[in-house]
Amino acid sequence: MIAYVKGTVEDISEDNAVVDIGGIGVNVRISADTAARLPGIGEKVKLYTYTSVREDAMQLFGFLARNDLEIFKKCITVSGIGPKGALAILSVLDADSLRFAIMSGDVKAITKAPGIGTRTAERLILELKDKIKIDDALIDREIAATQAVGAGADTPQKREAVEALMSLGYGQAEAAKAVGAIEGIESMDSGAVLKAALKKMF
């Protein structure tokens, strides 16, 4: 219904932003990750939005990037996960980390979100793993570069190793899981990462 909102940031809380659009304050539900990356009060912002309409309420859910919005929309197609549940997941995992968790079958990472149990996380992985592409899962972002590799941040070594494994005939989920299990990857070159990943395949 509403593709995006563009205006001035008037207020920010952990799960909500107020954006002034021509003198009208619009409440936009946001994840903790989005809240941490928003510009300051009084600054201009553009949030890509999803409109949730129910009998008792209409809410906007906003994201700084289209990629964030797209993974949110994928999450809410899963039975048992509504907009609030998807936002909770994206509050503990940024969009890139969530994509990698889905591809690698990392149930534990997804269940860190409040209200998301093991069965729901397993269902999310099962239903979305074939809908996530490697190029989507390993998107370069400045925020990803500042996070620990163990938390799912991207590195060139990861990207190249996963792509190399896929060229050898392995599935992308299987390749991502093997690469994600390697410790100390940030200090290894691409060749070493590939060798370590191949060892985990056997």
Side-chain angles (χ1 to χ4, degrees):
M1 183 181 294
I2 299 174
Y4 64 84
V5 295
K6 186 175 182 181
T8 304
V9 179
E10 288 296 319
D11 186 50
I12 305 171
S13 64
E14 185 178 352
D15 62 354
N16 192 80
V18 178
V19 181
D20 185 311
I21 305 173
I24 298 175
V26 178
N27 282 308
V28 184
R29 295 293 306 277
I30 56 174
S31 68
D33 176 64
T34 298
R37 294 188 287 123
L38 279 176
I41 304 296
E43 299 291 329
K44 296 293 184 180
V45 70
K46 181 178 181 179
L47 293 172
Y48 297 94
T49 56
Y50 171 83
T51 306
S52 173
V53 180
R54 301 184 308 178
E55 291 183 2
D56 58 343
M58 184 178 81
Q59 292 180 309
L60 284 179
F61 292 81
F63 305 88
L64 287 168
R66 284 194 180 93
N67 279 318
D68 296 352
L69 174 59
E70 290 307 311
I71 192 65
F72 171 85
K73 288 164 71 173
K74 283 183 171 69
C75 285
I76 62 177
T77 65
V78 177
S79 176
I81 300 180
K84 290 183 179 179
L87 206 64
I89 295 172
L90 287 168
S91 288
V92 297
L93 292 171
D94 65 46
D96 292 342
S97 296
L98 175 56
R99 290 185 180 94
F100 200 84
I102 291 169
M103 288 180 59
S104 61
D106 192 346
V107 172
K108 186 176 180 180
I110 298 171
T111 55
K112 290 179 181 178
I116 302 299
T118 300
R119 288 185 179 180
T120 302
E122 289 174 343
R123 189 183 309 119
L124 178 74
I125 291 168
L126 180 64
E127 294 188 20
L128 297 187
K129 66 180 180 180
D130 293 332
K131 299 178 182 179
I132 301 295
K133 298 178 181 178
I134 185 63
D135 289 339
D136 294 333
L138 300 175
I139 295 168
D140 289 321
R141 282 188 357 185
E142 289 183 7
I143 188 171
T146 64
Q147 295 177 337
V149 171
D154 182 25
T155 67
Q157 299 98 310
K158 271 189 178 182
R159 181 190 297 275
E160 292 174 13
V162 171
E163 290 177 348
L165 289 169
M166 290 175 64
S167 71
L168 292 173
Y170 294 101
Q172 62 181 27
E174 184 181 15
K177 185 174 183 178
V179 173
I182 299 170
E183 296 182 1
I185 197 171
E186 67 275 10
S187 62
M188 302 164 66
D189 61 29
S190 300
V193 174
L194 178 58
K195 289 180 181 178
L198 284 169
K199 287 181 180 179
K200 293 184 179 295
M201 292 292 193
F202 298 102

